[in-house]
Amino acid sequence: MQTADIHRRWLTFFGDRGHTVVPSASLVSEDPTLLFTVAGMVPFVPYLTGLVPAPYPRATSVQKCIRTLDIEEVGKTPRHGTFFQMNGNFSFGDYFKEQAIEYAWELLTSSESDGGLGFQEKDLWVTVYKDDDEAINFWKKTAGLPDERIQRLDMDTNYWSTGQPGPAGPCSEIFFDRGPAYGQDGGPATDDDRYVEIWNLVFMQYLRGEGSGKNFEILGELPKKNIDTGMGMERVAFLKQGVENMYETDQVRPVLDRAAEISGRRYGADHDDDVRMRVIADHVRSSLMLMSDGVTPSNEGRGYILRRLMRRTIRSMRLLGVDAPSFAELFPASRDAMKHSYPEVETEYSRIERLALSEEEAFLRTLASGTSILDLAVAKTKTEGAKELASDTAFLLHDTFGFPIDLTLEMAEEAGLTVNRSAFDELMLQQRTMAKADAKSKKTHLADLSVYGEFRAAGETVFTGYEYLDTETTILGLIVDGASVTSASAGQIAEVILAETSLYAESGGQEADAGTIVGNGYELEVLDVQRPVKGLTSHKVQVTSGEVSVGAAATTIVDPEWRRGATQAHSATHLIHAAVRQVLGQEAHQSGSYNKAGYMRLDFSWNQALSPATRSEIEEIANLKVRENLEVDTRIMNLDQAKSLGAMALFGEKYGNTVRVVEIGGPWSLELCAGTHVSRSSEIGLINLVSETSVGSANRRIESLVGYEAFQDLAAERAIVNELTSNLKTPRDQLSTRIADLLSSLKAAEKRIAQFEAAALSERVPALVATAHTVGAVSLVAENVGTVASSDELRSLVQSVRERLGSVAAVVALAADVAGKPAVIVATNDAARQTGAKAGALAKLAAGVLGGGGGGKDDIAQGGGTDVSAIGAALAAIGSAVAS
């Protein structure tokens, strides 16, 4: 049974039983505490917790998920994968425990010809929470399972909660017995690979209180009991396809086979090679799916996870003996395996491939540079007579250069060295602990959304700002320091929940509106506007006068100048995006944006800098569209209709079934967008493209000033040009030539000055040589040469004096004032070094006297400091050291 068939059977089964079929949400989670969608229930959490009223009583989905916590286990076990699909059915206060059990058993054990999955009842085991007698009775009634195939387990495996006060409840899990060839008897309680968990049913029926671990109080039953179940697609697939693990299923095995073919290794011949091939197959698929949802490789957040997956893939190919690029062959294999379930991987493949190949090329260069750094560290370690490469070197290579630790271990071993892996792991642990603490602090700050629940239950906040700048409304709630209050007074910072608002909440790359909220006896300055939960707008305000209370009448007032600038900038973003695609092609796809009054920023997928001519062309096209005074049309329609018209759904944005389409100049610019816009393009005024830079290996960023701010910037440049034309007495059209001539003359003058200075220094050599005097076993020159332009000049002078002293044992120490700071350079010749004189030690000694630091090689070294007046003492210290 192919994975796409399991996908279809699941949705058909539950769709036929009254469940709303919900498409998979993006792998990029809307939850601010999560980087990714890590479980099938994540998109439904607001409904399961009651924070947002569920739009349907029951639902089903096949949800794309990413988890990387167990990334080191990938390839080693039959079931660990970073990308997986979770089949879920959900009830929001509709059916409960008995019917959830009936559905699960029916789908699992019905014959394939009847639309079921065709599992044999004798192969299935069930676990329940130890005190859930109700679930046991339902299992016996529904499935007729004997007592020995229903196992009671403790809270750590069979009880669910968020870890915070809120919904909680027991779980029941269904396992498949693979048979005695895979392990010992005894059922799932043995925690053996023989028993594979395929389905988990969560019965949310209680309200839990404060506490941690197993120590929390059950406060009572929920008024509405919910069902959240999840069946692991990959686990069912490998069981139904009769293969040994998830890596050998139809959606993963093609990549594994391609890796084997490229490397010339045979899958099944060597355990270590098998693990590497499985890692490659898993990570390529995960990378493909992440990029199809708009994630791009970077050094932070989601992009860092993607980059890590891709680099582990390259590393595993290298361990298979493949040093050449391989993504051009691996990714198409994954695309062809996944496109039947997710057509977007094919339609977006040209963009995905460009990102993948660019990242591979960049990391292969990183491997080359990391290898050079490692070679130097190995040589230094050997020179010092050590046998162990420093753990902080290994960590630096891993953390800064992305150099995998296993590659460091392998190369160190080849050089006859070891690496203190435990010390390296301790450094990694410290980094993870810091990261987790940071994440926890952010989660604590953002996670408690329950305060918004009662307000969201009253309905959605109505946004009137498309039509009006002022709106009369009612204050539904006030929140101060995370708690709901009845009033707030002058000087306080509060959140205001309104029935309606004309103030735009930050979203879609557009910054929140500025403005005020006023009412009888109070005035509030709006600091920010956000949507903490779907459908609810919260206004962060400072009470500037009076006292505001819940239930009071209010008027939202948008700052008209701010809104005008914001609409200009947002519409300009659409024009620049369309111009970029017109010039570069349809593959130059927006990957992010930000706009506010007077400014816009557009990130787009492209892997090379734009030439000045290309930048000018994009800017000119956008401004010509402004001049054409194109109509800006907005329409509301369903998502499928919008896509059929060719409207662009932008990566990183979340869309419901009903969307807003913004059209500028017909199909030339047609995008899904909830932002505010001008009514005609001429209202934008002017677009001034001020920069174009890199924001990643395959992403570029354009920044532009818009409207009055664009005019101000050009006016400032005009003033500079006028000043230059006046001072240089040159017409504007000849200004660049005139400046180029001046620069050329300046460089020539600087070259002549350097020649004169070098000659003047050379003339000082005989006098310095004449100061040589015998100190101990060497001839010493130790002089303050006054002020020199640079340390390089001082070094050249020292070397010339040393050369003129010939073969006699000589130490030359010259000090000078370089840009207001003391510098000293010491040089020795072979004969002096044989007496024990070392330039590095002498320079370090002198630098200490100068109030700084220094050192270097035995033959020449440099030091510096802060106290020019101490130069005499520093040279005297060198003389004393030489004498001793």
Side-chain angles (χ1 to χ4, degrees), residues 244-258:
E244 291 299 306
N245 51 63
M246 63 165 285
Y247 313 103
E248 298 175 15
T249 61
D250 62 302
Q251 287 189 342
V252 188
R253 180 65 186 252
V255 182
L256 188 153
D257 289 340
R258 194 73 194 97

Side-chain angles (χ1 to χ4, degrees), residues 235-370:
R235 297 185 183 193
V236 171
F238 87 71
L239 294 172
K240 292 301 297 179
Q241 292 173 22
V243 295
E244 291 299 306
N245 51 63
M246 63 165 285
Y247 313 103
E248 298 175 15
T249 61
D250 62 302
Q251 287 189 342
V252 188
R253 180 65 186 252
V255 182
L256 188 153
D257 289 340
R258 194 73 194 97
E261 185 178 346
I262 295 170
S263 65
R265 311 285 178 96
R266 183 173 65 82
Y267 182 66
D270 179 85
H271 172 74
D272 290 342
D273 282 353
D274 290 351
V275 170
R276 291 160 187 155
M277 292 180 201
R278 293 195 285 262
V279 167
I280 292 163
D282 171 84
H283 288 8
V284 165
R285 183 170 76 143
S286 298
S287 301
L288 174 82
M289 299 308 295
L290 283 169
M291 288 188 285
S292 74
D293 272 355
V295 181
T296 58
S298 69
N299 285 329
E300 58 185 26
R302 300 178 181 94
Y304 175 75
I305 300 298
L306 171 59
R307 173 162 285 169
R308 186 182 181 202
L309 291 168
M310 298 173 80
R311 290 183 169 187
R312 280 173 58 90
T313 302
I314 296 168
R315 168 59 182 152
S316 295
M317 287 300 293
R318 190 180 187 279
L319 291 173
L320 291 175
V322 180
D323 294 329
S326 58
F327 280 3
E329 298 181 68
L330 296 174
F331 273 81
S334 188
R335 172 201 61 198
D336 293 343
M338 297 300 296
K339 65 183 181 182
H340 303 293
S341 294
Y342 303 99
E344 63 269 21
V345 301
E346 184 170 36
T347 57
E348 293 293 332
Y349 186 70
S350 60
R351 177 185 59 83
I352 293 169
E353 182 181 47
R354 187 173 63 253
L355 285 171
L357 299 187
S358 177
E359 181 66 17
E360 181 180 37
E361 179 184 357
F363 186 53
L364 288 175
R365 289 197 301 268
T366 294
L367 283 176
S369 60

Side-chain angles (χ1 to χ4, degrees), residues 158-198:
N158 280 67
Y159 204 92
W160 177 89
S161 79
T162 63
Q164 299 177 359
C171 304
S172 182
E173 298 174 334
I174 307 171
F175 289 77
F176 178 84
D177 180 5
R178 303 178 76 190
Y182 292 91
Q184 60 181 316
D185 292 331
T190 62
D191 196 25
D192 194 272
D193 282 342
R194 168 175 169 173
Y195 301 93
V196 179
E197 179 196 339
I198 56 176

Side-chain angles (χ1 to χ4, degrees), residues 379-612:
K380 182 174 182 293
T381 303
K382 287 186 170 183
T383 300
E384 294 171 349
K387 295 294 185 181
E388 184 177 88
L389 188 71
S391 57
D392 55 355
T393 299
F395 181 75
L396 173 71
L397 284 165
H398 177 277
D399 192 52
T400 304
F401 297 95
F403 210 68
I405 180 59
D406 50 354
L407 182 56
T408 301
L409 292 170
E410 176 192 310
M411 295 180 67
E413 184 179 357
E414 290 171 355
L417 300 176
T418 61
V419 178
N420 188 335
R421 183 61 190 265
S422 61
F424 171 85
D425 289 341
E426 179 61 30
L427 291 170
M428 289 294 294
L429 179 62
Q430 291 174 17
Q431 184 191 57
R432 290 193 189 105
T433 302
M434 291 173 62
K436 285 181 179 179
D438 181 54
K440 185 176 181 181
S441 67
K442 292 176 181 176
K443 184 172 182 178
T444 301
H445 178 67
L446 295 170
D448 187 10
L449 301 177
S450 58
V451 69
Y452 301 107
E454 61 177 294
F455 306 126
R456 181 60 182 84
E460 296 191 22
T461 308
V462 178
F463 178 63
T464 63
Y466 293 134
E467 294 83 20
Y468 308 105
L469 294 182
D470 300 352
T471 291
E472 294 182 357
T473 183
T474 303
I475 293 182
L476 300 180
L478 292 166
I479 300 170
V480 175
D481 295 331
S484 180
V485 297
T486 58
S487 64
S489 55
Q492 283 189 293
I493 303 293
E495 290 182 65
V496 178
I497 309 297
L498 302 170
E500 301 88 14
T501 183
S502 56
L503 291 152
Y504 184 82
E506 180 182 357
S507 63
Q510 181 175 331
E511 197 170 274
D513 273 334
T516 57
I517 301 173
V518 299
N520 186 18
Y522 68 86
E523 182 170 341
L524 315 175
E525 178 189 357
V526 176
L527 306 177
D528 194 12
V529 189
Q530 295 289 334
R531 294 191 181 98
V533 298
K534 186 176 181 180
L536 186 76
T537 301
S538 172
H539 308 74
K540 184 179 180 181
V541 303
Q542 181 167 31
V543 184
T544 53
S545 65
E547 183 176 83
V548 58
S549 301
V550 173
T555 301
T556 60
I557 303 172
V558 178
D559 181 332
E561 291 301 317
W562 177 270
R563 173 64 72 81
R564 181 181 296 110
T567 58
Q568 289 174 318
H570 204 151
S571 297
T573 305
H574 284 224
L575 293 189
I576 288 287
H577 185 206
V580 164
R581 290 168 65 81
Q582 178 177 322
V583 173
L584 301 179
Q586 299 305 300
E587 293 181 0
H589 202 295
Q590 177 176 328
S591 57
S593 69
Y594 171 72
N595 48 76
K596 62 179 182 178
Y599 170 85
M600 61 132 293
R601 181 180 77 209
L602 177 79
D603 295 346
F604 59 98
S605 53
W606 199 250
N607 59 3
Q608 58 186 4
L610 304 185
S611 68

Side-chain angles (χ1 to χ4, degrees), residues 761-817:
L761 283 173
S762 297
E763 291 174 358
R764 299 185 65 178
V765 171
L768 290 169
V769 170
T771 67
H773 56 286
T774 301
V775 176
V778 303
S779 182
L780 173 66
V781 175
E783 294 291 322
N784 181 352
V785 297
T787 300
V788 299
S790 69
S791 295
D792 287 341
E793 289 186 3
L794 184 62
R795 179 179 291 262
S796 176
L797 189 60
V798 167
Q799 290 172 322
S800 296
V801 173
R802 179 179 62 179
E803 184 178 347
R804 290 283 293 272
L805 288 171
S807 60
V808 62
V811 174
V812 180
L814 300 183
D817 179 332

